Amino acid sequence: RDEVIRYVQGKYGHDRVAQIITFGKLQARAALRDVGRVLGMPYTQVDRICKLVPVNPTDPVSLPEAIAGEPLLQEMRDQDGRVAHLLDIGTKLEGLYRHASTHAAGVVIADRPLVELVPLYRDPRSVMSATQFNMKWVEAAGLVKFDFLGLKTLTVLRHAVDIIREAQGVEIDLATLPLDDPDTFAMLARGETVGVFQLEGAGMRDMMRQMRADSFEDIIATVALYRPGPMDNIPRYISVKHGREAPDYLHPRLEKILKETFGIMIYQEQVMQIAQELSGYSLGRADLLRRAMGKKIKEEMDAQRKDFVDGAVARGVDAHKASEIFEQVAKFAGYGFNKSHAAAYALIAWQTAWLKANFPVAFLAASMTCDIHDTGKLGLFRQEAERTRINILPPDINKSGADFRVEAEEDGQLAIRYALSALKNVGAQAVRDLVAARDREGAFRDIGDFARRLDARAVNRRQMESLIRAGAFDALEANRALLFHGIDAILRFATEAAGERESGQANLFGGDARASSVPLAARADWSATERLQHEFEAVGFYLSAHPLDAYAASLKRLGAIRAADLRAHLAAGGGGRLKLAGVIGARHERTTSRGSRMAHLSVSDSSGQFDVTAFSEILASARELLENSAPLLFTVEARLEEDVPRLTLIEVESLDKAAARATAGLRIVLDSEAPLAALRSLLAEQRRGRGRIVIVARTGGREIEATLPDSYVLSPTLVAAARAVPGILAAEEM
């Protein structure tokens, strides 16, 4: 985008090209955050209040509307004077201008120096001037406004092509891709569109499954139809396409215009063609008609109706029929889409779909690289990799780079190596320095070698914490707890080694003058549960395993359905009340037309993802549970709508509690007294449950069983922790 803008400046003159100013207004959440900061209120309290205010970019909810629709906000206001003060000042400030910025894509180009036409403004963050008139007024001032739209997807495509060339030795020319690839159409018909430009939303996936597109024109129509307004025509488009309904062309002379879209007006160009064909409009007049219909100005529409009908009658069309067609055209034109725009978007959608269908590993690696700092998107891509059986290899200090890479495994299968700079708190520059050191002197041999070659100024404590938590050093030292608690020693060793290099001591006798290993105090490794939790904190989701893996036996006893089996279960008539378990990955709240609150929850288990809708009553009673990342058991009302599972939340509880109820007992096997002290400490906090514990002691060639007198809360977390105690041979659920 910047290259194109520089080209335009060079061609027309730097003094004739400018960006367009925008004025940022204080919306509800921003007003509350600013006021809360000035009032000195705790960030966590203000953040909790802000999260109760719905976010709707297309139709922003005002603060008074948010308060009226959220009982919890009202309760907080009534019980805490500071919250009432915050809401009162926030309401007064909402809507005021907060700052000036520049339009994301808008650029004006003039035929003379802009200072002769409009006042200019210089954003300190930009080298390019901006008009002081916003986008509404620059056109009134006589300037032409252009949109230079920058799409991240173009970068994804370029990355994918580069990865395919480097990893697979195949050269791809995106400009010459076939538009009739059967594998791509088959993938779209299955709704497998995660990462595909314009087609990856849940609603769009449903539409693709129903449409079963078999031509590029279908992709263009999809891009144009899937918006408020035209969406009403989607069922008819699909029905006519598959022969379930007959097309209606309004008039025989319009068939050639509407045939490609099965009798449905989708594009603005069709409005113009209809006016030309039916009423004899010139192309220029037809464009004025299109604009008039879009603005819906009554006087102008009345004049256009007369011209349209008179022109149609003069060309042999019945006046009543012409008026009827005008009504239909006018109804559509308000939300018609420009076909040339839809076709350009459809081409990019096709290119991404083609790469995903034919080179899925490279495409996924490129997509993850372009969303490297978006944990939510990376989590979705990870689930997509699991679904398509693409291995994502863990971060490795000796194999990972700053970006996601494609790597061949021992069996020859291609896999994706996780990027180090995708980890939280690990900067791209630090990773580039690490990779440069590795490329220059070879792989790191052990943690001492890493510390010796480490630039302590480039890698700090927080970065080391994330690298260790994510398992990036596992190839050098498998005990993550040992490294984590030895970070200070590692960094100190690195600093001293750097000092020796600078003083020349390191190379005085052809090698290091210091000990080769970092002195680390012995420490037991983290349990499997702890490792997963630390990994989650560093990566943002569960990479090597899923927290629900530990609950497999409990979920079976609870009768929970796996996400991967949900659609098949419902298709076989298994609707009604179901239990599912998972971890909430994303939560979006909004206010319904009736003024109540509802939330859409995106939940994952170890087999995939499912979406749950929670209405106001359950949302209010279970908000605390729904706001954390702990595993939960959901009871839902489930049904299948057009092959899409629809789940409504009825009840939710902690999976630990539900699993503890379902576990009757635990059998612990040991062959010495060594683990008893640790086991006693572990069980001390788990009394007053329902489960019993049997200790099996192996001694002298015999087994002695003893049932403990107390009852315990036997959660999977406790079972995993018991298995991790040194000296315990087995911990099995009964």
Side-chain angles (χ1 to χ4, degrees), residues 170-482:
V170 179
E171 194 70 47
I172 302 292
D173 181 2
L174 293 174
T176 60
L177 294 185
L179 298 179
D180 57 355
D181 179 51
D183 290 341
T184 305
F185 282 124
M187 183 190 76
L188 294 176
R190 294 192 299 270
E192 297 171 0
T193 57
V194 171
V196 177
F197 180 64
Q198 291 282 298
L199 307 180
E200 65 177 331
M204 189 66 91
R205 290 201 301 270
D206 296 346
M207 181 180 172
M208 296 308 297
R209 274 192 287 263
Q210 295 170 48
M211 181 180 286
R212 301 195 301 278
D214 54 12
S215 70
F216 183 62
E217 283 70 22
D218 282 340
I219 311 297
I220 302 173
T222 298
V223 170
L225 279 170
Y226 199 81
R227 295 173 301 110
M231 289 180 76
D232 297 341
N233 289 318
I234 290 174
R236 177 164 171 76
Y237 183 97
I238 293 170
S239 291
V240 176
K241 173 179 171 59
H242 294 299
R244 296 191 292 269
E245 287 185 44
D248 177 8
Y249 298 120
L250 302 177
H251 190 278
R253 281 162 55 184
L254 301 185
E255 180 175 351
K256 61 184 178 184
I257 297 169
L258 299 177
K259 188 168 185 177
E260 70 164 309
T261 54
F262 305 106
I264 298 163
M265 277 181 280
I266 295 178
Y267 311 117
Q268 293 177 353
E269 287 89 341
Q270 288 174 315
V271 171
M272 297 165 65
Q273 286 177 298
I274 287 170
Q276 286 180 282
E277 176 64 35
L278 215 60
S279 302
Y281 275 54
S282 68
L283 200 56
R285 281 186 66 209
D287 190 48
L288 292 175
L289 170 70
R290 176 194 62 78
R291 294 189 68 174
M293 287 178 165
K295 292 178 180 177
K296 289 184 167 56
I297 301 169
K298 187 178 184 306
E299 295 78 11
E300 198 171 340
M301 286 290 285
D302 288 343
Q304 289 286 359
R305 177 194 294 273
K306 184 175 185 307
D307 288 351
F308 185 92
V309 172
D310 288 349
V313 169
R315 294 167 72 89
V317 180
D318 175 72
H320 179 73
K321 185 65 177 175
S323 182
E324 187 181 296
I325 291 171
F326 182 87
E327 285 296 332
Q328 292 263 24
V329 172
K331 178 184 175 185
F332 160 79
Y335 52 64
F337 204 72
N338 183 294
K339 186 180 181 183
S340 57
H341 188 167
Y345 267 30
L347 183 61
I348 297 172
W350 178 262
Q351 289 170 345
T352 56
W354 187 91
L355 285 172
K356 182 175 183 183
N358 292 278
F359 295 90
V361 183
F363 175 74
L364 202 55
S367 299
M368 294 177 82
T369 294
C370 286
D371 279 307
I372 201 161
H373 299 301
D374 187 336
T375 303
K377 290 297 288 286
L378 290 180
L380 284 175
F381 289 135
R382 185 254 185 184
Q383 289 173 11
E384 181 68 3
E386 276 192 350
R387 188 192 63 76
T388 52
R389 296 180 180 167
I390 296 171
N391 280 346
I392 294 187
L393 305 174
D396 187 318
I397 203 72
N398 275 332
K399 295 180 179 178
S400 295
D403 296 337
F404 289 87
R405 295 178 169 184
V406 171
E407 185 178 309
E409 296 189 83
E410 289 181 5
D411 60 1
Q413 292 293 314
L414 294 178
I416 297 171
R417 176 66 69 178
Y418 206 83
L420 294 179
S421 55
L423 303 177
K424 292 184 178 181
N425 303 319
V426 178
Q429 187 56 49
V431 174
R432 282 193 284 270
D433 291 344
L434 278 173
V435 172
R438 190 179 73 202
D439 292 344
R440 189 170 55 248
E441 300 176 47
F444 301 107
R445 297 186 299 277
D446 52 38
I447 200 67
D449 183 40
F450 172 82
R452 267 198 313 279
R453 291 157 60 183
L454 173 68
D455 183 348
R457 294 165 298 186
V459 179
N460 57 35
R461 181 183 180 83
R462 290 181 71 195
Q463 291 167 334
M464 285 293 294
E465 285 179 354
S466 282
L467 290 166
I468 293 167
R469 281 175 159 156
F473 292 104
D474 283 3
L476 307 183
E477 170 56 67
N479 187 333
R480 296 183 190 178
L482 178 72

Side-chain angles (χ1 to χ4, degrees), residues 94-167:
E94 184 182 12
L96 296 179
Y97 285 141
R98 185 179 190 273
H99 62 272
S101 186
T102 52
H103 189 277
V107 172
V108 290
I109 304 175
D111 61 350
R112 69 198 77 173
L114 281 162
V115 290
E116 298 177 15
L117 298 168
V118 291
L120 298 179
Y121 158 78
R122 185 64 164 271
D123 186 327
R125 294 164 297 181
S126 173
V127 296
M128 190 174 173
S129 297
T131 64
Q132 285 191 37
F133 294 170
N134 67 16
M135 60 185 293
K136 177 182 176 183
W137 297 103
V138 288
E139 287 187 315
L143 292 172
V144 181
K145 180 170 68 71
F146 298 84
D147 267 4
F148 287 78
L149 192 61
L151 292 178
K152 181 179 64 180
T153 308
L154 298 175
T155 306
V156 174
L157 292 169
R158 193 191 71 218
H159 276 334
V161 169
D162 290 345
I163 291 170
I164 292 165
R165 183 192 310 112
E166 292 164 14

Side-chain angles (χ1 to χ4, degrees), residues 34 58 106 151 167 209 229 278 338 372 379 406 446 484 494 508 604 612 623 629-630 662:
D34 281 355
T58 56
L151 292 178
R209 274 192 287 263
L278 215 60
N338 183 294
I372 201 161
V406 171
D446 52 38
F484 189 82
L508 188 59
S604 72
V612 180
R623 182 176 291 279
S629 59

Side-chain angles (χ1 to χ4, degrees), residues 631-671:
L632 301 172
L633 182 68
F634 301 88
T635 303
V636 301
E637 188 68 38
R639 65 189 188 283
L640 203 61
E641 280 185 10
E642 297 176 337
D643 201 37
V644 180
R646 304 293 183 192
L647 310 178
T648 304
L649 187 60
I650 298 170
E651 190 180 330
V652 62
E653 64 176 321
S654 160
L655 185 54
D656 262 351
K657 289 184 179 178
R661 286 199 311 272
T663 304
L666 183 64
R667 188 171 182 270
I668 297 176
V669 182
L670 42 83
D671 61 1

